[in-house]
């Protein structure tokens, strides 16, 4: 990984030099646009509307237009902002971790200790673990002042940027203002359905099916060209109709619980059969081995 930012994490008089790394990466299949008539690649150019010339990126500044006047801001103007020059991640408060709304979480970054000794880094990490609190920090990155949550992941401090309060919309849905009666039986069946799907979350068990299918499509098209029959590649699939109101909620809950239980039972039976088959195979091998030994002994 390559560090995207270097600075210091500060709280009180404590200063922790750190390097910042992107914690996530994109694995989507890279696609570009082409003209459907001849396959020519689509190109975009930065053209000045006054002289019609293509402008190199290095010669482009930013501007603000209030409707009557335009103010041009050069790179030097932007760099002169005090917040932009700051190389510090300032801890402003430590809050109970449950108070950080998941809806506000944005990009994640790893922090690596950059000093001669990682002691201050480890001290802060252990303090956050022991107090079960999250540090709220403020810093500047890529021409933006950012609010972030500093928390622990394994042995590493993770910086996760937060949306500002005015960036989160309020959910105002009139349908939720109406009183709704939920019976005890409906709640019981719903809880049973939840129990039937209960598990420990393991993100490695999930894959991006769309990207996998897209790669399959690309490989098949590279092999067969325009003669590709997608039904041969993916099979004929019926599109399930989703949405709409469930007319009989109780019946839907019962059916869902029964189907989930049947699926779990089938999976368990399959596991038992596999185990029995494995035991049987092992027993057969053991018996054959014993016969061979007996034959050699005689």
């Amino acid at each position: 990984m390559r560090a995207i930012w270097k600075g210091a994490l500060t709280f009180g008089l404590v200063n922790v030099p750190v390097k910042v790394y992107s914690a996530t990466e994109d694995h989507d299949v890279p696609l570009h646009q082409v003209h459907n008539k001849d396959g020519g690649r689509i190109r975009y150019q930065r053209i000045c509307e006054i002289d019609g010339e293509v402008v190199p990126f290095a010669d482009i500044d930013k501007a603000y237009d209030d409707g009557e006047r335009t103010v041009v801001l050069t790179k030097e103007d932007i760099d002169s902002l005090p917040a932009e020059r700051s190389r510090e991640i300032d801890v402003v408060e430590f809050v109970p971790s449950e108070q950080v709304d998941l809806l506000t979480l944005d990009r994640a970054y790893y922090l690596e200790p950059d000093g001669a000794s990682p002691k201050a880094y480890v001290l802060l990490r252990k303090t956050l673990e022991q107090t079960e609190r999250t540090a709220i920090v403020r810093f500047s990155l890529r021409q933006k002042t950012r609010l972030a949550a500093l928390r622990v992941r394994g042995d590493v401090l993770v910086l996760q940027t937060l949306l500002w309060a005015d960036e989160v919309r309020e959910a105002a849905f009139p349908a939720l203002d109406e009183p709704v009666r939920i019976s005890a039986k409906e709640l019981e069946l719903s809880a049973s359905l939840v129990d039937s799907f209960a598990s420990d979350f393991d993100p490695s068990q999930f894959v991006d099916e769309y990207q996998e299918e897209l790669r399959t499509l690309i490989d098949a098209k590279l092999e067969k060209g325009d003669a590709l029959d997608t039904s041969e590649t993916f099979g004929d699939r019926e599109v399930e109709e989703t949405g709409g109101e469930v007319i009989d909620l109780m019946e839907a809950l019962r059916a869902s619980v029964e189907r989930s239980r049947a699926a779990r039972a089938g999976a368990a039976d399959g596991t038992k059969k596999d185990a029995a088959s494995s035991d049987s195979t092992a027993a057969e091998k053991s018996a054959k081995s014993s016969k061979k030994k007996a034959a050699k002994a005689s």
Side-chain angles (χ1 to χ4, degrees):
M1 291 190 295
R2 184 172 62 87
I4 62 171
W5 192 88
K6 286 180 66 174
L9 180 61
T10 63
F11 61 107
L13 298 177
V14 180
N15 185 290
V16 186
V18 292
K19 292 180 181 178
V20 179
Y21 300 83
S22 292
T24 59
E25 57 187 359
D26 186 3
H27 291 294
D28 286 357
V29 177
L31 301 175
H32 57 259
Q33 295 179 323
V34 296
H35 186 191
N36 62 4
K37 183 178 180 180
D38 54 24
R41 188 161 181 172
I42 303 300
R43 302 287 184 180
Y44 292 92
Q45 295 179 316
R46 301 176 181 88
I47 298 176
C48 176
E49 66 177 15
I50 295 178
D51 60 19
E53 297 291 328
V54 176
V55 182
F57 187 77
D59 295 339
I60 296 177
D61 286 329
K62 296 182 178 180
Y64 174 78
D65 188 344
D66 66 359
E68 296 181 359
R69 296 169 300 173
T70 298
V71 176
V72 176
L73 300 173
T74 66
K75 185 177 184 301
E76 290 72 22
D77 291 333
I78 299 295
D79 290 342
S80 70
L81 295 174
E84 180 65 17
R85 295 199 307 270
S86 174
R87 308 301 292 178
E88 291 185 345
I89 302 172
D90 296 317
V91 175
V92 294
E93 58 186 3
F94 292 90
V95 302
S97 297
E98 65 272 12
Q99 289 184 1
V100 179
D101 188 348
L102 296 179
L103 186 63
T104 64
L105 296 178
D106 199 11
R107 297 294 301 273
Y109 302 90
Y110 290 135
L111 299 188
E112 177 191 23
D114 192 33
S117 169
K119 184 172 183 178
Y121 180 99
V122 175
L123 174 62
L124 177 57
R125 187 193 72 204
K126 287 185 175 294
T127 302
L128 291 175
E129 289 176 326
Q130 185 174 342
T131 60
E132 296 183 350
R133 286 184 175 260
T134 294
I136 301 301
V137 305
R138 190 164 42 204
F139 68 107
S140 294
L141 177 66
R142 293 171 177 165
Q143 298 181 351
K144 269 192 175 184
T145 300
R146 302 176 189 265
L147 194 67
L150 181 70
R151 56 188 181 84
V152 179
R153 186 176 189 267
D155 293 332
V156 179
L157 290 176
V158 173
L159 192 68
Q160 193 138 17
T161 56
L162 302 173
L163 299 174
W164 296 98
D166 61 359
E167 293 179 315
V168 179
R169 293 177 174 177
E170 289 295 328
F173 303 124
L176 297 179
D177 295 333
E178 301 295 328
V180 177
R181 181 180 175 277
I182 302 295
S183 69
K185 188 61 178 177
E186 288 171 333
L187 197 57
E188 180 185 344
L189 281 172
S190 182
S192 296
L193 182 58
V194 170
D195 288 340
S196 68
F197 281 94
S199 181
D200 292 321
F201 179 55
D202 180 3
S204 66
Q205 298 300 310
F206 300 89
V207 297
D208 187 339
E209 294 178 356
Y210 178 85
Q211 292 298 318
E212 287 193 343
E213 291 174 355
L214 181 58
R215 289 185 184 277
T216 299
L217 176 62
I218 290 172
D219 290 341
K221 198 141 193 180
L222 285 172
E223 180 182 348
K224 298 183 179 180
D226 292 335
L228 172 69
D229 182 356
T230 55
S231 62
E232 291 182 3
T233 305
F234 299 109
D236 293 323
R237 302 183 184 181
E238 293 185 5
V239 179
E240 295 183 5
E241 292 186 6
T242 58
E245 184 179 356
V246 178
I247 303 301
D248 192 337
L249 182 58
M250 288 287 287
E251 188 58 37
L253 285 170
R254 286 196 187 94
S256 297
V257 171
E258 290 173 3
R259 185 169 63 178
S260 178
R261 286 175 178 170
R264 290 290 178 96
D269 289 343
T271 303
K272 289 179 180 178
K273 288 179 181 178
D274 289 343
S277 176
S278 177
D279 291 343
S280 175
T281 302
E284 289 177 4
K285 288 182 178 179
S286 178
K288 289 180 180 178
S289 177
S290 298
K291 288 180 180 179
K292 288 181 180 179
K293 289 180 180 178
K296 287 182 179 180
S298 61

